[in-house]
Amino acid sequence: MTEDEKAGAAKKMSSSETSSEGKKKKESEETTLSEEDLELQQHLDSLVGTAIGEPKFETAPLPTQGQRRSAIEELRKEVRMASATVAAIPKALKFLGRHYARLKHGYVKEKEAKGVVTESSLTEKDVRMFADVLSVVAMAYSDAGEEACESLKFRLEGSANAEGDLPTKDKLIDLDPWGQEYARSLMGEVTRAWHSLEDREKGKRDEVAAKDADAPSAVEYQKVVDRSSLEHLVDSIVPFQLKHSCEPDAVDLLLEVEHLEKLGQHIDEHNYGRVCLYLLSSCHFLPPPEDRMVLECAYKLYTQVKQYPDASIVAIKLNDVGKLRESFKACDGLKEDAFVLKCQIAYVAVGANHGADLTEVIEEMEDSDAKETLEEIVSNSRLSEHFINVARDLDVVEAKTPEDVFKQHLVESRGAGAIDTARQHLANAFVNGFVNAGFCKDKLVCDPEEDASANMSKSNLIFKNKDHGKISATASIGLISLWDIDGGLPMVDKYLYSKDTNILAGALLAVGVTCAGTQSDCDPALALLAEHLSFEEGDVAPGTMATRIAAIMGLGLAYAGNPRPAVTELLVPIITDDTHNSEIIGAAGLSLGLIHAGTANDDAIQTLLQVLMMRGSELPAHKLGARFLCIGLGLLFVGKGDEVDAVLEVIKTFDKDVSQYCTVVVETMAYAGTGNVLKVQQMLAMVSELCQPPEKANPGEKESSSEKEDNKKKDQCDGETNFVSVLAVALIALAEDVGMEMAHRNLEHILQYGNKSARKAVPLAYALLHMSDPEVALLDTLGRLTHDSEMEVAHNAILALGLMGAGTNHARIASMLRALSGFYCKDSQSLFIVRCSQGLLHLGKGLMTLAPGRADKTLLSQVALSCIASFMFICSDMKESILGSGHYLLYLLVPAIRPRFVVTLKKEEDNDKLKHQPVSCHVGTAVDVVGQAGKPKNITGFQTHNSPVLLGVGERMELATEKYVSMSPVNEGFVVIKDNPDYQE
């Protein structure tokens, strides 16, 4: 026997062995079936044969129409019972799967023989019921691949209900008998079919892959699915999913088929909450303009069910003033609750720095107690009163001194160093201001027992400072009397007449700080600061410049997020005046950006673009004044997204020294808080590019002095741009948790592989992601960076510790900062930053926060984000700013400060006024309940308190009693409550 013959014989033996093994396996499977399963299998086999019109044996007659109908109905019953389970493929469906090809062949044969009528022919109704069976079996056993969507095609030819009726426009398909898994399978096929339809319409239909020649032959059931039949099926699936608490599935399906507007037909007071919560959560993961479409849909749904406070939150997220006012006015339709709902919307708007948007609507109301109360809310005039009442309840009213914060007796010092007394007094002024912020009294600066002639008192901390240090020391009075215009301005007033220009400048800045976050009809900040904005030509003495810059910055802080035309008219001429130096122009540009944050005001944009275009060569990016102007321009576009594209094209025409920096700043602020992944990747690419060492044109030649100067200037500008690019990663990604996690990973790589300018931005980027929210895992990283060999990295890491723990009194951060104060006791600059961080950590004695998130992180306050981002951009060169004469820039954080308490208010019985109403409540860690089944708890690990209570980042408050009903969708800040009409003792 030859070798070929031997190989052929071996092959035949192996094939015979394989076939015999297959037969044995099949026989063993049959023998392993229980009697019940075997009986079910034989019963289904018989039903399949009857349904497709085959005789039971060769000599038997063909089954009649009635017999076939009965078999199909029996099969429908078995399939319905099978599709009700979700644990595994049911036995009935498994047994029918073997016959799928026969069933499909029989169905196609019946459709083709439609014109020929015999005794065994099926009626149209029977054929529809046959299609129902095939649709369910195809869900698991289709032999034509996913793209064929056979289950969907059979479903579209099936019946509408158990009676086998034809689906019509008015008669939806009843999916209840077929179960949840079948509905989900249909959704997937509907989505695929919809996309293939779109591709076909656009002429982009993919080529169908050739079938494998060895594959078993299958009857191809071809049918072009039309759009109207798909829409009809979608109309049937959506109410089914909503009925069975699968709101995310329904929303996803409507998003895929681009018919989100159909949600409104199926929303009621029972399911709107879960649907809208999913819509708000999903908007972060959708590209523009779909993200806005989803938010607008949520707004319509909330308005439809008359949940106007929820609608106002969505309107603010959309940055749509018209919708905010519309939801406010719509409360009039609910006569009994109109007042409390309006108050709650006003508190929500003020909390997000949108109170000014409601001013006009409230002014149009008739004079009444309600109007007066709403004006008080929108102006924030009683915020100081509420804050001090909460402090009194918590027994923290007594003023603290810097020594109470430093706890120097616990510090292990490395020996006495060369102490810079002036810087130490300046640090004490900042710490004193931050710790006693909002309490209207302290022991070092504005002691009420001090004589009115304290202008000359040497015991006052202000006069212990020297030169420009007096500016920040005097301005700390404004921080101590924060939000209290009536009580704070008299304390500042006596310094407004000082002959010392630094004290005068500090007093002007204090006016702006005191008025930050509030509104007043008499506009005290504008009245007091306007007269100091002008001086005679040629008068550029340092003292005059200081007072002027302080007045400009004071206006920016006082009217941040509150664009007043009168203030804009004052600042624009200063910016466009060619005789002013870069510091004054920069301060005015930054203030203009703060005032019009997120508004994209045309006048402000044109003014800043004109100055940067005309004077770009005089304003390279490494100069503070130029950076101020670029930051001011960026603030105008906070959260505006692609609206900034036209301005970015104009910026490309600027001088090269400022163009790149300005582009990154403006683009960063436009996409801040949007979570736009493409922009994060763009910024990472920019960081990677700028971290590469520059290539020399002629490596062998020596550089001339002018070339060295140019290269040094370019390196400084690139360093500033790189610094902002790193911060941009955090600014854009802080919208949602997944983006934040990815930003963490990227920042770790930058910290490991980046150059100096990139590395020094990383600690501040971490702080941005966790503002007033200490992340234990990051504290170790920041702790290492505080001892970094590069002092700029160490300084920013120290400051990041203070920002991350701002207002939390976090014990571990306090211990770390105390240790650092001992470690850097001989370094006055590092010690100054440690002291400032200690002051921030104990901000408002733990009653305040810097976190920009509002309404359970649904919103990001544009004003808070603008102030924090501006401050961090400036920290790229601390020696020129905070550690130099620009230490007053720390007050940029003031408009971002807000109380972190929850106060419950109730309407008085006799009039439209609100009064404080203590309520029992639960405070615990927030739980993400988006898309979860049933009614999960919103908080975990809660404790029970009586309001007012303090909330940290990531915590929620819920009422612990059913006696009252909250008007607020998110219990934070000021919560208006009312008696529960259904409550019984």
Side-chain angles (χ1 to χ4, degrees), residues 51-168:
I52 61 178
E54 293 180 355
K56 291 186 178 180
F57 46 89
E58 290 184 5
T59 58
L62 293 173
T64 63
Q65 185 186 79
Q67 289 172 332
R68 292 184 69 186
R69 181 185 300 121
S70 298
I72 291 171
E73 288 179 351
E74 187 69 21
L75 282 173
R76 283 182 87 220
K77 182 181 176 183
E78 292 291 345
V79 168
R80 274 206 305 270
M81 292 169 62
S83 61
T85 182
V86 295
I89 297 179
K91 289 176 182 176
L93 202 56
K94 193 182 294 185
F95 296 150
L96 283 174
R98 302 185 308 164
H99 303 292
Y100 176 67
R102 288 175 63 203
L103 285 167
K104 187 165 67 168
H105 181 81
Y107 178 79
V108 174
K109 186 178 176 181
E110 195 66 38
K111 293 285 288 184
E112 289 173 349
K114 191 174 181 181
V116 182
V117 179
T118 63
E119 289 184 3
S120 64
S121 297
L122 296 174
T123 63
E124 290 186 4
K125 180 178 178 181
D126 297 335
V127 173
R128 287 196 296 271
M129 295 169 76
F130 199 171
D132 291 344
V133 176
L134 271 169
S135 179
V136 178
V137 179
M139 172 179 69
Y141 293 99
S142 174
D143 53 5
E146 287 186 352
E147 296 302 319
C149 299
E150 286 194 325
S151 178
L152 168 65
K153 291 170 181 175
F154 286 125
R155 174 71 268 164
L156 294 176
E157 292 206 343
S159 59
N161 49 34
E163 288 73 30
D165 295 335
L166 181 70
T168 61

Side-chain angles (χ1 to χ4, degrees), residues 539-839:
D539 185 5
V540 287
T544 312
M545 276 184 57
T547 55
R548 197 160 192 220
I549 291 173
I552 291 169
M553 292 299 297
L555 280 175
L557 298 176
Y559 293 98
N562 182 17
R564 294 287 180 92
V567 182
T568 306
E569 290 170 7
L570 280 174
L571 294 176
V572 168
I574 297 173
I575 299 171
T576 54
D577 193 335
D578 295 339
T579 61
H580 295 155
N581 65 13
S582 62
E583 291 183 24
I584 291 177
I585 292 174
L590 180 59
S591 293
L592 192 65
L594 286 172
I595 292 165
H596 293 278
T599 62
N601 182 274
D602 288 336
D603 292 339
I605 294 169
Q606 294 298 332
T607 302
L608 292 174
L609 285 176
Q610 180 185 344
V611 174
L612 285 166
M613 193 180 295
M614 301 298 292
R615 300 183 64 178
S617 57
E618 306 170 27
L619 300 167
H622 67 280
K623 288 197 173 178
L624 193 59
R627 299 209 301 274
F628 277 173
L629 283 171
C630 296
I631 294 167
L633 182 60
L635 298 185
L636 299 173
F637 293 97
V638 176
K640 288 295 183 182
D642 53 11
E643 290 182 36
V644 77
D645 291 347
V647 172
L648 290 175
E649 292 299 319
V650 176
I651 293 173
K652 290 178 183 177
T653 64
F654 291 176
D655 189 85
K656 62 180 181 179
D657 292 333
V658 75
S659 175
Q660 187 184 33
Y661 179 82
C662 191
T663 299
V664 175
V665 169
V666 172
E667 199 161 8
T668 298
M669 296 312 299
Y671 290 93
T674 61
N676 190 303
V677 180
L678 295 177
K679 291 300 172 184
V680 172
Q681 292 174 345
Q682 181 182 325
M683 294 302 169
L684 287 171
M686 175 77 74
V687 173
S688 176
E689 180 185 333
L690 293 172
C691 284
Q692 299 294 333
E695 296 180 2
K696 293 183 178 180
N698 300 310
E701 295 182 7
K702 288 187 177 181
E703 294 179 339
S704 64
S705 58
S706 61
E707 286 177 343
K708 284 183 179 179
E709 191 66 32
D710 289 342
N711 288 337
K712 182 181 178 183
K713 187 176 177 181
K714 185 179 185 303
D715 289 344
Q716 287 177 323
C717 294
D718 286 349
E720 294 292 344
T721 306
N722 204 7
F723 184 88
V724 174
S725 300
V726 175
L727 289 177
V729 174
L731 268 170
I732 296 170
L734 58 80
E736 38 79 31
D737 295 336
V738 177
M740 287 170 65
E741 286 182 21
M742 297 307 296
H744 277 295
R745 296 181 186 180
N746 289 318
L747 290 171
E748 286 174 11
H749 292 309
I750 294 170
L751 196 59
Q752 191 171 359
Y753 302 110
N755 59 12
K756 176 183 172 184
S757 59
R759 290 182 75 248
K760 69 181 179 182
V762 171
L764 294 178
Y766 281 140
L768 256 176
L769 293 171
H770 298 279
M771 190 66 63
S772 291
D773 178 23
E775 180 72 22
V776 177
L778 286 178
L779 295 183
D780 293 332
T781 304
L782 291 177
R784 288 196 306 272
L785 292 177
T786 55
H787 296 82
D788 197 87
S789 56
E790 294 285 352
M791 284 312 298
E792 292 185 15
V793 177
H795 287 166
N796 282 352
I798 296 168
L799 187 60
L801 282 174
L803 292 169
M804 190 179 287
T808 63
N809 293 345
H810 197 271
R812 187 176 171 192
I813 295 178
S815 175
M816 292 171 72
L817 291 173
R818 275 199 301 273
L820 287 169
S821 69
F823 184 81
Y824 287 115
C825 63
K826 296 180 180 179
D827 182 351
S828 61
Q829 291 188 339
S830 301
L831 186 60
F832 174 75
I833 297 174
V834 171
R835 296 306 191 203
C836 290
S837 292
Q838 286 178 306

Side-chain angles (χ1 to χ4, degrees), residues 429-623:
F430 276 115
V431 173
N432 184 59
F434 284 131
V435 172
N436 296 299
F439 284 86
C440 301
K441 66 177 182 178
D442 76 314
K443 295 180 179 179
L444 299 179
V445 177
C446 45
D447 189 346
E449 296 177 5
E450 195 172 337
D451 187 60
S453 61
N455 232 358
M456 298 301 294
S457 169
K458 295 298 180 184
S459 63
N460 193 315
L461 184 60
I462 293 172
F463 300 97
K464 291 181 180 179
N465 282 276
K466 295 179 181 178
D467 303 327
H468 52 74
K470 294 178 181 178
I471 298 175
S472 292
T474 311
S476 67
I477 300 173
L479 197 52
I480 292 164
S481 58
L482 184 62
W483 308 317
D484 184 13
I485 295 177
D486 296 334
L489 293 182
M491 286 194 284
V492 179
D493 184 65
K494 57 188 175 185
Y495 298 103
L496 289 171
Y497 305 101
S498 173
K499 293 180 181 179
D500 188 327
T501 52
N502 288 315
I503 291 178
L504 174 59
L508 295 173
L509 190 57
V511 171
V513 172
T514 300
C515 299
T518 62
Q519 296 181 47
S520 177
D521 293 337
C522 57
D523 277 341
L526 182 61
L528 292 169
L529 300 177
E531 61 184 275
H532 295 276
L533 291 178
S534 59
F535 52 74
E536 296 177 7
E537 190 173 347
D539 185 5
V540 287
T544 312
M545 276 184 57
T547 55
R548 197 160 192 220
I549 291 173
I552 291 169
M553 292 299 297
L555 280 175
L557 298 176
Y559 293 98
N562 182 17
R564 294 287 180 92
V567 182
T568 306
E569 290 170 7
L570 280 174
L571 294 176
V572 168
I574 297 173
I575 299 171
T576 54
D577 193 335
D578 295 339
T579 61
H580 295 155
N581 65 13
S582 62
E583 291 183 24
I584 291 177
I585 292 174
L590 180 59
S591 293
L592 192 65
L594 286 172
I595 292 165
H596 293 278
T599 62
N601 182 274
D602 288 336
D603 292 339
I605 294 169
Q606 294 298 332
T607 302
L608 292 174
L609 285 176
Q610 180 185 344
V611 174
L612 285 166
M613 193 180 295
M614 301 298 292
R615 300 183 64 178
S617 57
E618 306 170 27
L619 300 167
H622 67 280
K623 288 197 173 178

